[in-house]
Amino acid sequence: ELVHVPYRGSAPALNGLVAGDVDVMFDNLGVSRGLVAGGSLKLLAVASDHRLPGLAQVPTVAETVPGVVSETWFAVAAPPKTPPALAGRISRDFAAALRQPEVIERFVALSAEPVGSDPAATAAFIRAEIERWAKVIKIARIKIE
């Protein structure tokens, strides 16, 4: 059983975790990975749908609790009236940049994975994320206060 302990951000929460004020924390790995590497924290699992490159020994949450996936992601977006040819070119250029070995290396060091999808695939991914989290919000009865 977990008890929610609110903190005013990741840094104070990490301080509380390292100090032993709390026993577990969910955080973006890019923020806490240095503390894991330094031995101040133990990484129990990642919330991606697969094990991360460079952290293959760390299981996913879904390996214990099937279906639990919670990833931070970023997308490059353009205004809705951007001509499709221009959007496609920008997308291809970003995808090419994300395939460069030094870019991949930097992403992996930050516990992230570059994807580089085309506009249609990115839109489909965002729609799927909206559906996934809408279900969570409904099941958990989350309300805006």
mmCIF file of all heavy atoms in Angstrom, residues 80-107:
data_model
loop_
_atom_site.group_PDB
_atom_site.id
_atom_site.type_symbol
_atom_site.label_atom_id
_atom_site.label_comp_id
_atom_site.label_asym_id
_atom_site.label_seq_id
_atom_site.Cartn_x
_atom_site.Cartn_y
_atom_site.Cartn_z
ATOM 1 N N PRO A 80 -1.634 24.178 -37.632
ATOM 2 C CA PRO A 80 -2.492 23.283 -38.413
ATOM 3 C C PRO A 80 -2.503 23.549 -39.922
ATOM 4 O O PRO A 80 -2.712 22.641 -40.704
ATOM 5 C CB PRO A 80 -3.890 23.489 -37.835
ATOM 6 C CG PRO A 80 -3.754 24.364 -36.662
ATOM 7 C CD PRO A 80 -2.364 24.873 -36.594
ATOM 8 N N LYS A 81 -2.285 24.773 -40.330
ATOM 9 C CA LYS A 81 -2.346 25.091 -41.759
ATOM 10 C C LYS A 81 -0.984 24.977 -42.446
ATOM 11 O O LYS A 81 -0.829 25.425 -43.582
ATOM 12 C CB LYS A 81 -2.934 26.479 -41.958
ATOM 13 C CG LYS A 81 -4.406 26.531 -41.542
ATOM 14 C CD LYS A 81 -5.033 27.863 -41.827
ATOM 15 C CE LYS A 81 -6.493 27.814 -41.384
ATOM 16 N NZ LYS A 81 -7.203 29.035 -41.653
ATOM 17 N N THR A 82 -0.026 24.364 -41.785
ATOM 18 C CA THR A 82 1.277 24.148 -42.415
ATOM 19 C C THR A 82 1.091 23.231 -43.620
ATOM 20 O O THR A 82 0.460 22.177 -43.495
ATOM 21 C CB THR A 82 2.264 23.497 -41.415
ATOM 22 O OG1 THR A 82 2.377 24.351 -40.277
ATOM 23 C CG2 THR A 82 3.634 23.284 -42.046
ATOM 24 N N PRO A 83 1.612 23.618 -44.777
ATOM 25 C CA PRO A 83 1.463 22.751 -45.953
ATOM 26 C C PRO A 83 2.036 21.359 -45.684
ATOM 27 O O PRO A 83 3.107 21.226 -45.090
ATOM 28 C CB PRO A 83 2.266 23.479 -47.036
ATOM 29 C CG PRO A 83 2.324 24.911 -46.580
ATOM 30 C CD PRO A 83 2.330 24.858 -45.075
ATOM 31 N N PRO A 84 1.308 20.308 -46.086
ATOM 32 C CA PRO A 84 1.779 18.933 -45.834
ATOM 33 C C PRO A 84 3.201 18.665 -46.339
ATOM 34 O O PRO A 84 3.956 17.959 -45.673
ATOM 35 C CB PRO A 84 0.756 18.068 -46.568
ATOM 36 C CG PRO A 84 -0.474 18.906 -46.619
ATOM 37 C CD PRO A 84 0.004 20.328 -46.738
ATOM 38 N N ALA A 85 3.559 19.230 -47.470
ATOM 39 C CA ALA A 85 4.910 19.004 -47.993
ATOM 40 C C ALA A 85 5.960 19.574 -47.046
ATOM 41 O O ALA A 85 7.000 18.954 -46.808
ATOM 42 C CB ALA A 85 5.055 19.624 -49.386
ATOM 43 N N LEU A 86 5.693 20.764 -46.483
ATOM 44 C CA LEU A 86 6.635 21.372 -45.549
ATOM 45 C C LEU A 86 6.687 20.576 -44.243
ATOM 46 O O LEU A 86 7.768 20.308 -43.715
ATOM 47 C CB LEU A 86 6.240 22.830 -45.277
ATOM 48 C CG LEU A 86 7.113 23.584 -44.269
ATOM 49 C CD1 LEU A 86 8.582 23.584 -44.716
ATOM 50 C CD2 LEU A 86 6.596 25.003 -44.083
ATOM 51 N N ALA A 87 5.528 20.176 -43.735
ATOM 52 C CA ALA A 87 5.490 19.371 -42.504
ATOM 53 C C ALA A 87 6.253 18.064 -42.701
ATOM 54 O O ALA A 87 7.010 17.637 -41.828
ATOM 55 C CB ALA A 87 4.051 19.093 -42.090
ATOM 56 N N GLY A 88 6.063 17.442 -43.865
ATOM 57 C CA GLY A 88 6.778 16.199 -44.167
ATOM 58 C C GLY A 88 8.280 16.400 -44.219
ATOM 59 O O GLY A 88 9.038 15.581 -43.707
ATOM 60 N N ARG A 89 8.702 17.509 -44.827
ATOM 61 C CA ARG A 89 10.151 17.779 -44.919
ATOM 62 C C ARG A 89 10.754 18.006 -43.532
ATOM 63 O O ARG A 89 11.812 17.466 -43.206
ATOM 64 C CB ARG A 89 10.417 18.983 -45.805
ATOM 65 C CG ARG A 89 11.897 19.280 -45.880
ATOM 66 C CD ARG A 89 12.249 20.359 -46.833
ATOM 67 N NE ARG A 89 13.699 20.552 -46.757
ATOM 68 C CZ ARG A 89 14.299 21.609 -47.187
ATOM 69 N NH1 ARG A 89 13.635 22.567 -47.758
ATOM 70 N NH2 ARG A 89 15.599 21.714 -47.063
ATOM 71 N N ILE A 90 10.068 18.821 -42.718
ATOM 72 C CA ILE A 90 10.550 19.063 -41.358
ATOM 73 C C ILE A 90 10.635 17.742 -40.594
ATOM 74 O O ILE A 90 11.624 17.466 -39.905
ATOM 75 C CB ILE A 90 9.640 20.075 -40.630
ATOM 76 C CG1 ILE A 90 9.778 21.458 -41.284
ATOM 77 C CG2 ILE A 90 9.980 20.135 -39.139
ATOM 78 C CD1 ILE A 90 8.723 22.457 -40.831
ATOM 79 N N SER A 91 9.608 16.915 -40.728
ATOM 80 C CA SER A 91 9.585 15.620 -40.053
ATOM 81 C C SER A 91 10.755 14.743 -40.495
ATOM 82 O O SER A 91 11.441 14.135 -39.670
ATOM 83 C CB SER A 91 8.254 14.931 -40.341
ATOM 84 O OG SER A 91 8.242 13.645 -39.774
ATOM 85 N N ARG A 92 10.977 14.667 -41.799
ATOM 86 C CA ARG A 92 12.089 13.853 -42.322
ATOM 87 C C ARG A 92 13.433 14.382 -41.836
ATOM 88 O O ARG A 92 14.323 13.603 -41.482
ATOM 89 C CB ARG A 92 12.045 13.809 -43.849
ATOM 90 C CG ARG A 92 10.927 12.941 -44.396
ATOM 91 C CD ARG A 92 11.014 12.761 -45.912
ATOM 92 N NE ARG A 92 10.942 14.021 -46.654
ATOM 93 C CZ ARG A 92 9.810 14.657 -46.957
ATOM 94 N NH1 ARG A 92 8.643 14.139 -46.594
ATOM 95 N NH2 ARG A 92 9.834 15.788 -47.642
ATOM 96 N N ASP A 93 13.579 15.721 -41.796
ATOM 97 C CA ASP A 93 14.840 16.308 -41.324
ATOM 98 C C ASP A 93 15.074 15.994 -39.847
ATOM 99 O O ASP A 93 16.191 15.667 -39.436
ATOM 100 C CB ASP A 93 14.860 17.817 -41.562
ATOM 101 C CG ASP A 93 15.001 18.186 -43.035
ATOM 102 O OD1 ASP A 93 15.310 17.292 -43.859
ATOM 103 O OD2 ASP A 93 14.800 19.377 -43.364
ATOM 104 N N PHE A 94 14.018 16.084 -39.031
ATOM 105 C CA PHE A 94 14.149 15.729 -37.612
ATOM 106 C C PHE A 94 14.493 14.251 -37.467
ATOM 107 O O PHE A 94 15.363 13.882 -36.673
ATOM 108 C CB PHE A 94 12.867 16.052 -36.835
ATOM 109 C CG PHE A 94 12.895 17.388 -36.167
ATOM 110 C CD1 PHE A 94 12.332 18.491 -36.781
ATOM 111 C CD2 PHE A 94 13.500 17.547 -34.936
ATOM 112 C CE1 PHE A 94 12.365 19.739 -36.170
ATOM 113 C CE2 PHE A 94 13.543 18.787 -34.313
ATOM 114 C CZ PHE A 94 12.975 19.894 -34.933
ATOM 115 N N ALA A 95 13.813 13.404 -38.225
ATOM 116 C CA ALA A 95 14.072 11.960 -38.153
ATOM 117 C C ALA A 95 15.521 11.659 -38.529
ATOM 118 O O ALA A 95 16.174 10.834 -37.885
ATOM 119 C CB ALA A 95 13.102 11.205 -39.055
ATOM 120 N N ALA A 96 16.026 12.334 -39.553
ATOM 121 C CA ALA A 96 17.424 12.126 -39.962
ATOM 122 C C ALA A 96 18.377 12.554 -38.848
ATOM 123 O O ALA A 96 19.354 11.863 -38.558
ATOM 124 C CB ALA A 96 17.718 12.892 -41.252
ATOM 125 N N ALA A 97 18.083 13.677 -38.227
ATOM 126 C CA ALA A 97 18.934 14.148 -37.121
ATOM 127 C C ALA A 97 18.910 13.157 -35.960
ATOM 128 O O ALA A 97 19.945 12.885 -35.342
ATOM 129 C CB ALA A 97 18.471 15.530 -36.657
ATOM 130 N N LEU A 98 17.740 12.593 -35.686
ATOM 131 C CA LEU A 98 17.602 11.660 -34.566
ATOM 132 C C LEU A 98 18.267 10.308 -34.836
ATOM 133 O O LEU A 98 18.432 9.512 -33.914
ATOM 134 C CB LEU A 98 16.123 11.455 -34.231
ATOM 135 C CG LEU A 98 15.419 12.684 -33.645
ATOM 136 C CD1 LEU A 98 13.930 12.430 -33.515
ATOM 137 C CD2 LEU A 98 16.023 13.077 -32.309
ATOM 138 N N ARG A 99 18.662 10.052 -36.060
ATOM 139 C CA ARG A 99 19.374 8.814 -36.393
ATOM 140 C C ARG A 99 20.890 8.969 -36.309
ATOM 141 O O ARG A 99 21.616 7.989 -36.445
ATOM 142 C CB ARG A 99 18.990 8.336 -37.795
ATOM 143 C CG ARG A 99 17.595 7.760 -37.878
ATOM 144 C CD ARG A 99 17.324 7.059 -39.205
ATOM 145 N NE ARG A 99 17.485 7.931 -40.367
ATOM 146 C CZ ARG A 99 16.511 8.672 -40.905
ATOM 147 N NH1 ARG A 99 15.307 8.633 -40.396
ATOM 148 N NH2 ARG A 99 16.751 9.415 -41.968
ATOM 149 N N GLN A 100 21.378 10.179 -36.090
ATOM 150 C CA GLN A 100 22.825 10.401 -36.014
ATOM 151 C C GLN A 100 23.365 9.765 -34.734
ATOM 152 O O GLN A 100 22.796 9.942 -33.655
ATOM 153 C CB GLN A 100 23.146 11.891 -36.043
ATOM 154 C CG GLN A 100 22.777 12.555 -37.351
ATOM 155 C CD GLN A 100 23.047 14.055 -37.332
ATOM 156 O OE1 GLN A 100 23.634 14.582 -36.401
ATOM 157 N NE2 GLN A 100 22.602 14.729 -38.377
ATOM 158 N N PRO A 101 24.465 9.018 -34.845
ATOM 159 C CA PRO A 101 25.009 8.304 -33.671
ATOM 160 C C PRO A 101 25.238 9.194 -32.452
ATOM 161 O O PRO A 101 24.923 8.786 -31.322
ATOM 162 C CB PRO A 101 26.322 7.717 -34.185
ATOM 163 C CG PRO A 101 26.110 7.586 -35.660
ATOM 164 C CD PRO A 101 25.230 8.745 -36.056
ATOM 165 N N GLU A 102 25.748 10.394 -32.650
ATOM 166 C CA GLU A 102 26.010 11.257 -31.486
ATOM 167 C C GLU A 102 24.710 11.742 -30.844
ATOM 168 O O GLU A 102 24.642 11.934 -29.628
ATOM 169 C CB GLU A 102 26.915 12.441 -31.853
ATOM 170 C CG GLU A 102 26.378 13.363 -32.928
ATOM 171 C CD GLU A 102 26.697 12.930 -34.355
ATOM 172 O OE1 GLU A 102 27.161 11.797 -34.588
ATOM 173 O OE2 GLU A 102 26.448 13.736 -35.261
ATOM 174 N N VAL A 103 23.661 11.892 -31.624
ATOM 175 C CA VAL A 103 22.360 12.282 -31.071
ATOM 176 C C VAL A 103 21.761 11.106 -30.303
ATOM 177 O O VAL A 103 21.278 11.265 -29.178
ATOM 178 C CB VAL A 103 21.408 12.773 -32.188
ATOM 179 C CG1 VAL A 103 20.000 13.007 -31.644
ATOM 180 C CG2 VAL A 103 21.954 14.037 -32.836
ATOM 181 N N ILE A 104 21.824 9.929 -30.885
ATOM 182 C CA ILE A 104 21.322 8.728 -30.200
ATOM 183 C C ILE A 104 22.066 8.532 -28.883
ATOM 184 O O ILE A 104 21.451 8.272 -27.842
ATOM 185 C CB ILE A 104 21.477 7.487 -31.107
ATOM 186 C CG1 ILE A 104 20.549 7.599 -32.314
ATOM 187 C CG2 ILE A 104 21.189 6.203 -30.316
ATOM 188 C CD1 ILE A 104 20.798 6.556 -33.388
ATOM 189 N N GLU A 105 23.372 8.683 -28.911
ATOM 190 C CA GLU A 105 24.193 8.517 -27.698
ATOM 191 C C GLU A 105 23.758 9.495 -26.608
ATOM 192 O O GLU A 105 23.643 9.136 -25.438
ATOM 193 C CB GLU A 105 25.663 8.730 -28.054
ATOM 194 C CG GLU A 105 26.622 8.515 -26.914
ATOM 195 C CD GLU A 105 28.069 8.724 -27.361
ATOM 196 O OE1 GLU A 105 28.449 8.165 -28.406
ATOM 197 O OE2 GLU A 105 28.790 9.444 -26.655
ATOM 198 N N ARG A 106 23.493 10.736 -26.992
ATOM 199 C CA ARG A 106 23.086 11.747 -26.018
ATOM 200 C C ARG A 106 21.706 11.410 -25.431
ATOM 201 O O ARG A 106 21.487 11.543 -24.235
ATOM 202 C CB ARG A 106 23.073 13.132 -26.674
ATOM 203 C CG ARG A 106 22.705 14.248 -25.747
ATOM 204 C CD ARG A 106 23.786 14.472 -24.701
ATOM 205 N NE ARG A 106 23.381 15.581 -23.861
ATOM 206 C CZ ARG A 106 23.461 15.579 -22.544
ATOM 207 N NH1 ARG A 106 23.999 14.558 -21.920
ATOM 208 N NH2 ARG A 106 23.052 16.610 -21.869
ATOM 209 N N PHE A 107 20.786 10.977 -26.288
ATOM 210 C CA PHE A 107 19.461 10.586 -25.804
ATOM 211 C C PHE A 107 19.577 9.426 -24.819
ATOM 212 O O PHE A 107 18.946 9.440 -23.761
ATOM 213 C CB PHE A 107 18.543 10.200 -26.974
ATOM 214 C CG PHE A 107 17.758 11.348 -27.541
ATOM 215 C CD1 PHE A 107 18.359 12.281 -28.362
ATOM 216 C CD2 PHE A 107 16.411 11.486 -27.258
ATOM 217 C CE1 PHE A 107 17.640 13.337 -28.895
ATOM 218 C CE2 PHE A 107 15.676 12.538 -27.784
ATOM 219 C CZ PHE A 107 16.293 13.467 -28.604
#
